[in-house]
Amino acid sequence: MEAASDGTVLGTVVVTAEKRSQDVQKIGVAITAVSGDKLATIRIQQPLDLAAISSSLSTMNSTTDSTPLFLVRGVGLDDFNTNNSSGVGTYVDDVYESFPGFLTGALYDIDAVEVLKGPQGTLYGKNTAGGAINILSRQPTNQFEGYVDVDYSRWDTTELTAAVSGPINDSVKARLAATVTKQGEGYQTDIDTGEKYGKLDRGGVRSIFDIRLNDRLSLNLNAHLVYDNSTPSSPSTPNVEALAGPQPFPTAGRLDSPPGGTQVRVGGLPLFKHEQGVGAVAKLKSQFDAFSITSITAFDYFSDHSLENYDGYPAADNNWTKNFQQSQFSQEVRAASNSGGFIDWIVGAEYSENWYRCRDALDWTFVYGLATSITDSGKAITAANFTQTQQSEGLYAHAETHLSNQWTLVTGVRYSHDQVSFDGVTIDPTGLLTYAANGFSGPIVPNTVLAALDQTRSSQDVSYRDELDYRPMKSLLLYSSAATGYKGGIFYGQPAQTQADWNYVNPEHELTFELGVKSRLFSDSLEVNAAVFDTAIQDRQSSLSLWAGPVGTQPLIAGLGNVPRSRIDGAETDVRWRPVSGLTIELGTTYLHSRVTRTLTSDNGLALFTPVLVGQMLPDAPAWSGNWNIRYERPVAQNLRMYVQANDHYTGAEHPYLADPTTFGNEESLGARIGLASPTRHWDFSLWGSNLLDRRPLTYAFAGSEGQRVSFYQKPRSLGLDLNYTF
């Protein structure tokens, strides 16, 4: 991470983005790297919050806190189903997290986060078409140390994080860290019942042992667990009353909810969440004179049982009962040369197995005209029971050839083979959904099969990276690159209303050309990095808004399909400036021109809600986004320092799916912190605020089954006090 510096000189930022420690300014890849201390001061509490550190990274919750989406430069994934993986590979302590559920836990005791932009298909493999995110935990220390951090804020929220680290004996070091968040009341109120929603109750613990087996061999063991028993928040809808059909009971003034997200209508639905996960990583490293060999073995398990009001109003429309379990096993072995030779090289092999079991159900009683009251439910159900398994193998090689002191040629190649199997069925347990869909005619047959699929598909890919770096002077790097990215094929994972909705979605491929510059100016007090890029996408995997049957006669549903051709070009800049001692200014801006370049007319025979035409903006790819962070600190007395900090992140308008005209975004959240710290006395006390302007933009929205706007809003303003004590 960033080395300490005095005065106006910016420190050196060291990253492991290319699986070795390097100065970020010497790597021909656009990278944002942030220390764990900075993440804490700007209140990055979950991977979902990481958009605040990089203008190129877009994040959003497509459900109520269980399916985070990540896109870099508009490339990633917009699917809200938990059996899928993002096109931005997220790695926690060198382990690829294959499912969204693994990325819902708290970020705590973090050493650094690195965001790599553009395809990372050689060193990192499949599902890194948009980029990669490395999350690195703090490691055991040579000296005994630790800290306790206590935070209290709005809604009677208490957060406690603590860690202790140090040597156990001459050959073993250990670190234990834990966090817990308890919220006394929810921030949302049901207009009709007074019930509270959006109440946090979550935590985690992690232990790391660093064992020196001999002079050349070391073993790092990491065991961790997370839990989340929160009461979910609820989306809302402002316009369903105008779109819902006639009902045998009054609905005017009883379905819609106002904008802002704090006043909702849930209809007495007992929302809940019970999530838990455990995992372990064993990292064995052998160091030789000319190279090292690293083996990483990992296993993770996660389960979720929850109930969401996914429709955003009190009637039974997309009331979603989730019940899934997922696990992953992975093994990587790589050899890397020691730095400093004519060629720095890395070669490796990977193998992984993923397993996902789903028993989800959606309640559609109101939508299909079967309700006798607003809260009537349980009559029209789609219930899915399926198992998905995946196997992946990869071989890769990466080389940095130092042609001279000024020129470096970077080449990389990876072969990937992936196989995914899907075996399951969706049924209509009561038979009433099928009866209603057939115009309330015909027999009522319980357990009618709506969709069944037993299929195995495989794919393979060869990814490459060619890069040329030119350093005309020590403080300036110019680079150009061509790189490919690949996202493996997948099956659509939500309960299906029709057989056509369950289908295999082909792999996605990207080709990106990039030109970039990294520079240090004015005696290393100003850092300016910039890049322009052009990405051609083949078979982009995208969520689509579809008609379940004949256009206009049956509900809208979501599906997953391939967009034949699309393109994104754009530019980004990142600036760090220390104009005077103690003052640091950081700015980031990204511009994207995203569009469909070949028309899409249907998905697996289902009609689109709205046409997908050439020139249409791609989902979750805002034209403009930006972020800034300003921090000033200075001594105010002997052994006492004061600091003030402000930060914000802006995201322009964007769409959730293709074939869905809904927009959201134009989002910002101003945060600030002011504090006093005594390094010699080991304490730091601060007052912080988030969303200080109390803006309530839409953080996510989509067209629901009636065509209504299901709306997720930014949380209201919060103020808090934080006390940190180190020892």
Side-chain angles (χ1 to χ4, degrees):
M1 235 20 268
E2 183 172 0
S5 64
D6 297 322
T8 61
V9 176
L10 292 167
T12 300
V13 177
V14 177
V15 297
T16 59
E18 295 194 339
K19 302 193 176 182
R20 65 172 80 240
S21 296
Q22 294 172 288
D23 180 351
V24 70
Q25 291 299 103
K26 296 181 179 180
I27 303 174
V29 178
I31 301 172
T32 296
V34 176
S35 70
D37 289 339
K38 180 180 173 182
L39 293 176
T41 62
I42 60 177
R43 294 191 58 76
I44 304 297
Q45 298 179 298
Q46 289 181 287
L48 185 73
D49 301 329
L50 289 172
I53 68 173
S54 174
S55 62
S56 299
L57 175 62
S58 298
T59 64
M60 63 218 70
N61 249 329
S62 58
T63 60
T64 53
D65 203 29
S66 62
T67 316
L69 302 180
F70 301 87
L71 298 95
V72 173
R73 296 175 175 175
V75 178
L77 185 69
D78 50 56
D79 185 13
F80 56 87
N81 289 300
T82 53
N83 71 313
N84 208 339
S85 305
S86 175
V88 175
T90 303
Y91 292 75
V92 179
D93 295 326
D94 283 330
V95 176
Y96 173 63
E97 304 297 342
S98 55
F99 295 114
F102 294 131
L103 299 170
T104 59
L107 284 182
Y108 66 99
D109 201 43
I110 298 299
D111 183 53
V113 170
E114 304 166 356
V115 180
L116 287 69
K117 307 164 192 178
Q120 306 297 321
T122 54
L123 279 176
Y124 289 91
K126 73 164 187 174
N127 295 357
T128 56
I133 301 172
N134 287 330
I135 300 172
L136 305 172
S137 302
R138 288 177 176 165
Q139 296 298 304
T141 53
N142 292 322
Q143 302 296 324
F144 178 76
E145 64 176 50
Y147 67 89
V148 177
D149 188 281
V150 181
D151 189 290
Y152 183 79
S153 59
R154 190 178 180 185
W155 306 297
D156 191 25
T157 304
T158 301
E159 300 171 57
L160 174 64
T161 303
V164 60
S165 176
I168 296 177
N169 55 40
D170 291 342
S171 58
V172 180
K173 298 180 292 184
R175 186 177 190 93
L176 177 66
T179 188
V180 63
T181 299
K182 293 281 188 178
Q183 187 172 321
E185 65 172 343
Y187 75 93
Q188 293 182 323
T189 302
D190 190 298
I191 297 170
D192 304 308
T193 68
E195 290 292 321
K196 294 287 188 177
Y197 300 99
K199 179 180 174 181
L200 297 177
D201 180 3
R202 65 190 183 199
V205 62
R206 178 172 57 243
S207 62
I208 301 177
F209 292 87
D210 194 350
I211 306 168
R212 176 68 62 178
L213 300 175
N214 56 45
D215 290 342
R216 294 183 179 271
L217 190 63
S218 62
L219 175 64
N220 187 282
L221 298 177
N222 179 325
H224 47 270
L225 66 86
V226 296
Y227 74 89
D228 192 339
N229 296 321
S230 302
T231 301
S233 58
S234 173
S236 56
T237 178
N239 63 335
V240 71
E241 292 174 14
L243 297 169
Q247 302 293 328
F249 48 84
T251 58
R254 302 178 65 187
L255 300 180
D256 291 352
S257 48
T262 58
Q263 301 291 312
V264 295
R265 277 193 157 112
V266 181
L269 201 64
L271 306 186
F272 69 90
K273 177 192 294 187
H274 298 307
E275 295 179 347
Q276 57 185 356
V278 295
V281 184
K283 185 175 182 180
L284 184 66
K285 186 171 183 178
S286 303
Q287 183 66 55
F288 300 96
D289 293 338
F291 64 93
S292 63
I293 297 177
T294 303
S295 168
I296 302 174
T297 307
F299 174 80
D300 277 289
Y301 171 85
F302 181 85
S303 67
D304 178 294
H305 186 205
S306 58
L307 175 61
E308 293 190 15
N309 183 41
Y310 200 49
D311 56 298
Y313 64 101
D317 168 13
N318 264 311
N319 292 351
W320 193 352
T321 301
K322 295 183 180 180
N323 191 343
F324 67 86
Q325 300 82 41
Q326 58 195 35
S327 65
Q328 65 174 28
F329 168 80
S330 63
Q331 174 65 57
E332 178 182 5
V333 177
R334 64 175 182 255
S337 66
N338 295 333
S339 299
F342 175 64
I343 299 178
D344 294 327
W345 53 265
I346 302 175
V347 295
E350 292 178 340
Y351 174 79
S352 66
E353 293 182 357
N354 303 325
W355 175 86
Y356 181 93
R357 174 68 187 275
C358 172
R359 295 181 299 278
D360 283 6
L362 292 169
D363 192 329
W364 305 83
T365 300
F366 179 86
V367 180
Y368 276 93
L370 295 168
T372 57
S373 68
I374 285 180
T375 58
D376 194 10
S377 62
K379 296 178 178 178
I381 305 290
T382 53
N385 187 340
F386 69 83
T387 300
Q388 175 183 287
T389 59
Q390 296 169 276
Q391 292 184 357
S392 299
E393 302 92 25
L395 298 170
Y396 63 90
H398 176 90
E400 300 174 21
T401 305
H402 305 290
L403 304 175
S404 69
N405 290 333
Q406 295 179 314
W407 293 93
T408 299
L409 176 65
V410 180
T411 54
V413 64
R414 173 187 286 259
Y415 170 76
S416 301
H417 178 268
D418 299 286
Q419 178 177 289
V420 56
S421 298
F422 188 100
D423 184 7
V425 63
T426 297
I427 64 171
D428 172 5
T430 66
L432 290 172
L433 185 148
T434 305
Y435 172 71
N438 290 332
F440 300 93
S441 64
I444 299 175
V445 182
N447 297 321
T448 298
V449 174
L450 301 174
L453 189 65
D454 183 1
Q455 193 174 118
T456 297
R457 302 290 292 268
S458 61
S459 60
Q460 57 186 3
D461 177 78
V462 176
S463 302
Y464 69 85
R465 180 178 188 85
D466 292 321
E467 175 192 322
L468 186 62
D469 298 345
Y470 174 56
R471 183 175 291 278
M473 59 185 70
K474 181 180 179 181
S475 59
L476 179 64
L477 172 68
L478 306 174
Y479 66 90
S480 63
S481 65
T484 61
Y486 156 69
K487 184 183 183 305
I490 197 67
F491 291 93
Y492 184 64
Q494 194 181 39
Q497 293 191 41
T498 173
Q499 181 66 48
D501 204 28
W502 263 5
N503 63 300
Y504 177 73
V505 182
N506 291 322
E508 173 183 316
H509 295 85
E510 275 81 11
L511 171 60
T512 295
F513 296 97
E514 182 170 342
L515 295 173
V517 58
K518 295 185 175 184
S519 63
R520 285 283 185 95
L521 306 169
F522 304 118
S523 302
D524 286 347
S525 66
L526 176 64
E527 182 177 282
V528 180
N529 298 338
V532 294
F533 47 86
D534 180 71
T535 300
I537 310 170
Q538 178 180 338
D539 287 330
R540 183 190 194 273
Q541 296 178 2
S542 181
S543 289
L544 300 165
S545 190
L546 308 164
W547 292 103
V551 174
T553 64
Q554 292 195 17
L556 288 170
I557 59 175
L560 187 67
N562 292 111
V563 181
R565 293 287 189 276
S566 53
R567 198 174 195 94
I568 303 175
D569 49 61
E572 65 179 34
T573 59
D574 286 291
V575 176
R576 287 199 307 149
W577 185 29
R578 190 167 291 168
V580 296
S581 180
L583 176 63
T584 303
I585 300 171
E586 298 172 313
L587 307 170
T589 305
T590 297
Y591 168 75
L592 300 176
H593 178 210
S594 69
R595 67 273 190 199
V596 174
T597 55
R598 184 178 296 178
T599 300
L600 182 68
T601 57
S602 66
D603 178 50
N604 207 27
L606 296 177
L608 304 179
F609 179 34
T610 59
V612 176
L613 304 176
V614 171
Q616 182 172 330
M617 176 188 286
L618 294 175
D620 305 326
W624 288 100
S625 55
N627 66 290
W628 58 265
N629 183 68
I630 300 174
R631 180 182 175 94
Y632 178 69
E633 59 178 293
R634 58 167 295 172
V636 292
Q638 186 176 4
N639 300 321
L640 192 64
R641 298 184 68 84
M642 181 191 74
Y643 59 88
V644 292
Q645 177 178 297
N647 62 278
D648 202 351
H649 178 264
Y650 169 77
T651 301
E654 48 193 317
H655 298 280
Y657 313 152
L658 285 172
D660 186 336
T662 310
T663 60
F664 63 97
N666 292 319
E667 171 190 347
E668 64 171 312
S669 181
L670 177 64
R673 183 180 293 262
I674 182 170
L676 286 173
S678 176
T680 58
R681 296 180 180 177
H682 308 289
W683 59 262
D684 184 322
F685 180 75
S686 60
L687 168 67
W688 60 264
S690 63
N691 191 15
L692 287 174
L693 301 179
D694 207 24
R695 300 276 175 85
R696 308 291 177 81
L698 291 169
T699 59
Y700 193 70
F702 62 91
S705 56
E706 305 272 15
Q708 81 275 16
R709 190 189 72 194
V710 180
S711 305
F712 296 75
Y713 291 92
Q714 184 167 272
K715 288 182 69 172
R717 177 195 298 120
S718 181
L719 301 175
L721 298 171
D722 184 88
L723 176 62
N724 183 285
Y725 179 76
T726 60
F727 54 86

